[in-house]
Amino acid sequence: MIAMPAFHDTTFAVQAPLSALKSCDNRHGNSLNISSDGGDHEHSVEIPATRSSISDASQYMHNLSVSPSTKDRRGSRNSLGTSLPIPRSKRQSRLSSVHYPDGHILTKAGTKIVQPCRDIIAAQLQDLSGDKVKAAKNMAFVFDIDGVLVHGDRLIPEGKRALEILNGDNELGIKIPHIFLTNGSGKPEKPRVDQLSKILNSPISTDQFIQSHTPMRALAEYYNTVLVVGGEGYKCREVAEQYGFNDIVVPNDIIAWDPTIAPYRVFTDAERATSRPRDFSQVNIEAIMVFSDSRDYATDMQIIMDLLRSEKGRFGTVAKDPDSQRIPIYFSQGDMLCPTEHPIPRMSQGTFRIGLEAMYKALTGVDLERTVYGKPELATYKYADEVMASWMEQIHGDECLPSNIYMVGDNPASDIVGGNMYGWNTCLVRTGVFQGGDNDEVNPANFGVFENVLEVVTTAIKKELGSDFKCKFDESINPVLHGTGVSAIV
């Protein structure tokens, strides 16, 4: 196992606590310390930026192979100063430590809830296995999705079985905490969770699900009129509306107002009918949010460049000093490649960003400052702690952070580098971006490389709960009679 450096709050000169999260074994100390602007943003906190805000355009013009590395990370400032806002508020708790295979509790009209026989047996087993139950609650998994559990809309078979084990099909019938942390984007969380649940045939809650733009909901407190870019159709507008942004503009609105802005775009009548044009020469756009991968590089890049070079975000203007008058731009993630149903990984939002940076440098002579969310940025991992603690309260009634967290990913430059630097156990699978040798040479996984996610889950469980732990629940076991017959109480 290779020991990797972890993030330390003191590195970023942070002061204000995020919350009173406690660790199950106090591994993380008394609190998570992060910076705060001390302003009026009641529902968000700000996390120090861990990726340099200065563009990488110069190096990428000559070398397109450079990726974020554990060995080379730079502190930075960004458009808000020194930090990236993430949501502060916890989700409402719904305590439940019982696993129901069919997804609901059995009830009869006018009667109290009837607990299924399987869960009565599981409760007995857990009462007799205190040490194993404690260990099961003190470990957790954080899953990337594309390349780990699915390829696009196609299931990776081992993913289904891995989640069955964690959802209670194990020796104790106990839920082992797990959340989903993806650089995927472009849809509201609920439809994405519903789609993933259907593909995996496993119940997934929005309360355990983080997309790359999920933490960006905190930005709604900072800006009023924003340009939202990326995704299919108007889904990212819907995302921004759900996040609480007040005035949302998308590229189609601008083209419907002035088609000459995008001379190579064929704008259909259907697109015009669904757009929201107005006189954008009289509107100040305050920030640019790239929520998802662009579906039209030429149009989106032209519109973004117009705004970056304008006077304070107003179309039809060109600033004399665009560097000082430039509006902030945010990217939901920085991956260069992402796995899809195509056999070779496709370009992702990172390549779009690099193109913009190079264009901006060529046209203005200065580097483009920008802010990047998603893995491997520190803010995303701080937010994952919030989600994990909240999920622990929901399934086990204890709002704490498990000590032994396993990050399972396929991309060394995002999944592994971020997990390593945050002190998690990192597990690299061969079902996605990584197709290398024994381990990645630049960002090696510290827990190892595995053929698939099921191998990761079973290996980690046996490490934490014992090599004899069974990843299958036996409903014929009667704890009272020491494993023989069917329980009399059933």
Side-chain angles (χ1 to χ4, degrees), residues 16 29 98 125 186 227 252 304:
V98 179
L125 287 169
L227 173 71
N252 275 7
I304 290 173

Side-chain angles (χ1 to χ4, degrees), residues 85-104:
I86 62 171
R88 180 194 299 272
S89 59
K90 283 286 199 302
R91 298 175 172 88
Q92 184 177 357
S93 174
R94 297 185 299 277
L95 302 183
S96 172
S97 59
V98 179
H99 168 68
Y100 298 101
D102 57 0
H104 63 274

Side-chain angles (χ1 to χ4, degrees), residues 279-294:
D279 186 358
F280 288 103
S281 68
Q282 303 301 313
V283 176
N284 285 96
I285 293 178
E286 300 171 17
I288 303 166
M289 313 280 174
V290 183
F291 268 17
S292 188
D293 293 340
S294 169

Side-chain angles (χ1 to χ4, degrees), residues 100 226 263 383:
Y100 298 101
V226 297
Y383 184 61

